């Protein structure tokens, strides 16, 4: 029981720390979750991290909270979910409450505006890094097929402005068809 208590404490403080210092939304926290839980603590491997991100992306709600739910459940069941979600939602709740209280001061402060502008550049770099790492991880198997899917998805969304939800649904249908075709071959 003491070991589970230590695990819950580690999960809470890790998610609390990550959520406190993550600016830019869910995709930024993905690289930090990977760094903490895959590279440092070795609680999950890189494939499990990709599965966690995939589940977090398709579920409704914030990616950070969805990721905390999946990670918490995998590591410690229902109690792990509660601990990870609390660790994830407390920092934004406190920060947003403070910002709302001092909104008029923040909105006119040139230093705060400059800091937020600078943070945008850092957030873009982190998102590019996450996308690149995920792309490399996905390319381990079926390279040609995956490169075609990524390329076609990009072209459909960027050049033809096709809603990303339709592309995700098409990829899901493609994956299901492939699964059933492979299942029949076996």
């Amino acid at each position: 029981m003491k070991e589970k208590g230590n695990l819950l404490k580690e999960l809470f403080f890790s998610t609390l720390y990550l959520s406190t210092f993550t600016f830019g939304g869910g995709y930024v926290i993905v690289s930090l979750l990977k760094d903490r839980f895959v590279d440092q603590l070795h609680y999950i491997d890189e494939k499990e991290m990709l599965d966690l991100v995939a589940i977090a992306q398709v579920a409704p709600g914030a990616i950070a909270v969805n990721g905390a739910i999946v990670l918490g459940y995998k590591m410690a069941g229902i109690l792990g979910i509660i601990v990870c979600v609390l660790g994830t939602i407390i920092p934004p709740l406190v920060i947003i409450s403070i910002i709302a209280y001092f909104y008029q001061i923040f909105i006119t402060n040139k230093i705060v505006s400059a800091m937020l502008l600078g943070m945008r550049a850092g957030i873009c770099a982190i998102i590019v890094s996450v996308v690149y790492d995920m792309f490399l991880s996905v390319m381990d198997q079926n390279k040609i097929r995956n490169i075609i899917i990524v390329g076609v998805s990009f072209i459909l969304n960027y050049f033809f402005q096709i809603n990303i939800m339709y592309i995700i649904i098409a990829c899901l249908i493609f994956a299901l068809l492939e699964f059933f075709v492979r299942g029949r071959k076996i």
Side-chain angles (χ1 to χ4, degrees), residues 3-171:
E3 189 174 310
K4 186 163 184 167
N6 287 339
L7 174 63
L8 291 172
K9 190 167 98 173
E10 180 71 43
L11 288 172
F12 176 77
F13 285 111
S14 292
T15 54
L16 184 79
Y17 173 79
L18 292 175
S19 187
T20 301
F21 297 104
T22 301
F23 295 95
Y27 293 106
V28 176
I29 203 167
V30 169
S31 68
L32 298 175
L33 283 171
K34 178 191 173 293
D35 182 55
R36 182 71 178 153
F37 293 107
V38 175
D39 300 336
Q40 292 176 9
L41 298 175
H42 307 289
Y43 284 168
I44 57 177
D45 62 29
E46 198 155 326
K47 180 166 181 357
E48 289 174 309
M49 182 66 197
L50 281 173
D51 293 342
L52 182 148
V53 170
I55 292 168
Q57 286 178 326
V58 298
I63 291 175
V65 175
N66 294 340
I69 290 169
V70 175
L71 179 71
Y73 184 76
K74 180 180 182 346
M75 299 306 302
I78 299 297
L79 204 52
I81 291 173
I82 294 167
V83 166
C84 285
V85 168
L86 284 175
T88 303
I89 65 170
I90 288 172
L93 189 65
V94 170
I95 292 168
I96 289 171
S97 297
I98 292 169
I99 290 173
Y101 187 76
F102 295 106
Y103 181 74
Q104 278 307 114
I105 297 169
F106 282 139
I107 200 74
T108 57
N109 189 315
K110 292 189 185 294
I111 294 172
V112 172
S113 295
M115 284 176 34
L116 292 173
L117 188 63
M119 290 164 85
R120 283 190 212 165
I123 290 165
C124 289
I126 290 172
I127 290 172
V128 167
S129 172
V130 169
V131 169
Y132 178 74
D133 288 344
M134 289 173 66
F135 180 77
L136 290 180
S137 297
V138 169
M139 289 302 130
D140 287 345
Q141 309 168 14
N142 300 321
K143 277 187 175 180
I144 294 172
R145 182 202 65 197
N146 291 342
I147 290 172
I148 290 170
I149 290 172
V150 168
V152 168
S153 298
F154 175 77
I155 290 168
L156 289 174
N157 182 256
Y158 187 77
F159 293 109
F160 296 104
Q161 284 78 39
I162 293 178
N163 190 315
I164 195 70
M165 288 308 299
Y166 297 131
I167 296 170
I168 290 171
I169 291 169
C171 288

